[in-house]
Every structure is written in C-alpha cells, then in structure tokens.
Amino acid sequence: MAARIMNTVSARADRQDAWLLRLIATAVAFALFGMGGLFLRLVVFPAQRLWLMNPTQRRRRSRAVINWTFYRFVRLMVRMGILTYEFRGVERLGRPHQMIVANHPSLLDVVFLIAHVRDANCVVKHSLVKNPFTAGPIRNAGYITNDESLDMLERAAQVLREGQTLIVFPEGTRTPVDAPPRFHRGACAIAVRGARVVTPVVITMNTRSLTKGEPWYRIPHRRMHYVFEVGDDIDPRQWTERHPAPIAGRRMNDHLHHYFRMELGLDGTVGK
C-alpha cells in the first residue's frame, strides 16, 4: 500500500514539472522552427544566391547559417524549459573525411548534431525535400536525400572522399519505442567506400519523446534530458584491407550494431 502511494506521489510530481508551461513552450518552439525554415528558404538563401556565385562557397555559407540557426534553436528550447542536454566529446566531431554514425531515438537528433558540427553534410529522409519548411535548407546546404539507391551511396561516399564530414543515422528512421536500434547496411557501404574514420555517437534520453508517429503535443511528464556520448574512432581499414567492400560493409555493420547495443545496455545478438 505504501509503495502504491509513493508511486502515485512520484507520478504527480513528475507531471508537475511545469507540464503545462512546457506544452505551451513546445508549441511555440515548433512554430518558430517552421517559420525559420520558411524564412531561410524565401529570404536568406535567395539573397545568398545573388551575391555568392561560387557553388562551394554558397554551400558552406548555407551550412554555416543552418548550424547557427539550429544551435540558437537548441539553446532556446533549453531556456524555455523544454529540455536539457549534455554533449561529451563534441570537440572530436567535424574532422575531414569523418563519418559520424548515431542512433536515432527522437525527432531532434539531427538538429542537435548539425547544431554542434560545423560545415557537416547529412543523409536525410527523402520526404523532407518535399516539405516546405525543410526543403530550402536541405537543397541549399547540399544535404544528401536517402532514396535508397546505389547512386545515393556513391554520392555520400564521394563527399567523404572530398573531405567533408558526413552525419548518418543507419536506422534510416527513428528507433521504435521499446525496441533496439536496427542498422541498415547502407551506412557501412558508404563508410568502406569513402570514410577515413567512423565516429559513433550514442544518444540517450531520460524519457522517450518525439518518437516516430508520436504527435508533438504528447510531451513527457518529465523534462527531457539528452546525452550525446562521442565514442572512440573506428578505422574502416580493419575490414577493407582484409575483405572486399560488400563483406567489409557487413562486418562493420555487425560491429556497430553490437557496439550501440552494448552502449545502450541492450541484450541480444548482433543483427544480420
């Protein structure tokens, strides 16, 4: 009986974590994000095209604008009390020829990473290029849309060979609730063809929210807290020097899958 009372009190205390204020703040934040995307698309990027003729310079300037905008958006969410976060090892991200591999528990993962990695490329969902709020940033920054084609894999490998940093979410979509991450082999197929170093980033949350299919207004009873843990670098040559590309990609995918499951505290065998 006492345990039941304590659980009830704890649940009420969680819900009293400024729940209504966080709901209002979340609505404001999503509205600002959408308006910001339209402003970039309709005002900022057309202006850049007028005075920056060089495509490479225009791409870098676009990414700098997105990096600055996303970072300010993240800091705004912190100040509004929507969430808190910590980034461990962020100084090791953003190197030439580096592929950053991360799990994908929530909608905001890509925002956090782009906000903290300067001049990074990113593999994004193909559907986002048709979204009026995200199409402008994606096109002008030169992000790679994932249409699951061999041409996409080669384009992604090429940007790594050129010296860009590339952010990839191997799951391809957000991790389902109460399920372990399942990595597609495409990310490792890119890595063995173009990356000099692969750096894992393990993302954890104190409470899952903004998951796939979940509406923005279904906020958790507690304030979200994100932890971004940058792992040790992985050298793709440990597989590419011993195996042809298809086998090397499978071996690396097994390694990454096992690594993330271990870091996330999940049991089970490595996915095939």
Side-chain angles (χ1 to χ4, degrees), residues 15-265:
R15 192 172 182 85
Q16 290 172 356
D17 185 17
W19 184 87
L20 181 57
L21 291 177
R22 284 188 294 112
L23 178 62
I24 296 172
T26 302
V28 172
F30 270 82
L32 289 174
F33 187 87
M35 289 188 292
L38 285 177
F39 181 76
L40 292 178
R41 179 183 183 181
L42 300 177
V43 179
V44 176
F45 295 140
Q48 285 186 350
R49 285 194 292 270
L50 291 177
W51 59 275
L52 282 175
M53 298 294 106
N54 185 288
T56 300
Q57 291 182 349
R58 191 162 60 239
R59 183 198 71 203
R60 289 177 177 171
R61 187 58 60 89
S62 297
R63 290 182 187 175
V65 169
I66 296 169
N67 169 262
W68 183 88
T69 303
F70 278 15
Y71 183 78
R72 297 302 169 189
F73 178 70
V74 168
R75 298 308 305 170
L76 176 66
M77 288 191 293
V78 172
R79 293 191 183 96
M80 295 175 74
I82 297 172
L83 54 83
T84 57
Y85 75 98
E86 52 187 305
F87 229 121
R88 302 169 183 168
V90 67
E91 68 279 355
R92 293 191 288 112
L93 301 180
R95 287 170 283 161
H97 310 282
Q98 179 187 45
M99 191 171 87
I100 300 169
V101 177
N103 59 310
H104 200 2
S106 87
L107 181 65
L108 295 174
D109 305 329
V110 65
V111 175
F112 276 105
L113 285 175
I114 291 178
H116 289 82
V117 184
R118 293 185 177 181
D119 196 29
N121 205 326
C122 186
V123 177
V124 299
K125 290 179 63 175
H126 186 69
S127 60
L128 293 178
V129 80
K130 301 177 182 179
N131 186 311
F133 303 108
T134 56
I138 289 172
R139 290 196 179 108
N140 285 272
Y143 295 151
I144 298 169
T145 58
N146 185 7
D147 56 8
E148 300 182 348
S149 67
L150 292 176
D151 179 63
M152 183 280 295
L153 297 179
E154 179 55 33
R155 282 184 284 119
Q158 181 60 33
V159 304
L160 285 165
R161 291 193 291 264
E162 291 172 357
Q164 297 184 40
T165 302
L166 180 66
I167 299 171
V168 180
F169 295 93
E171 295 171 83
T173 187
R174 280 166 277 173
T175 312
V177 178
D178 299 325
R182 297 188 62 85
F183 291 172
H184 299 292
R185 295 174 184 168
C188 290
I190 296 168
V192 299
R193 287 167 172 80
R196 291 186 184 175
V197 62
V198 176
T199 306
V201 178
V202 179
I203 306 173
T204 55
M205 304 171 64
N206 65 337
T207 179
R208 290 290 300 276
S209 185
L210 299 175
T211 56
K212 186 174 179 62
E214 184 179 35
W216 65 265
Y217 52 81
R218 191 173 295 165
I219 66 172
H221 298 326
R222 293 185 294 165
R223 185 176 284 106
M224 292 182 293
H225 180 72
Y226 286 79
V227 177
F228 296 81
E229 186 80 43
V230 180
D232 294 333
D233 291 339
I234 299 169
D235 188 346
R237 290 179 298 179
Q238 62 184 291
W239 295 285
T240 58
E241 290 181 351
R242 293 184 292 169
H243 306 286
I247 297 176
R250 287 197 295 270
R251 297 287 176 86
M252 184 189 295
N253 191 65
D254 288 347
H255 174 83
L256 285 173
H257 202 172
H258 178 71
Y259 173 86
F260 275 87
R261 290 176 69 94
M262 292 293 292
E263 292 297 314
L264 293 169

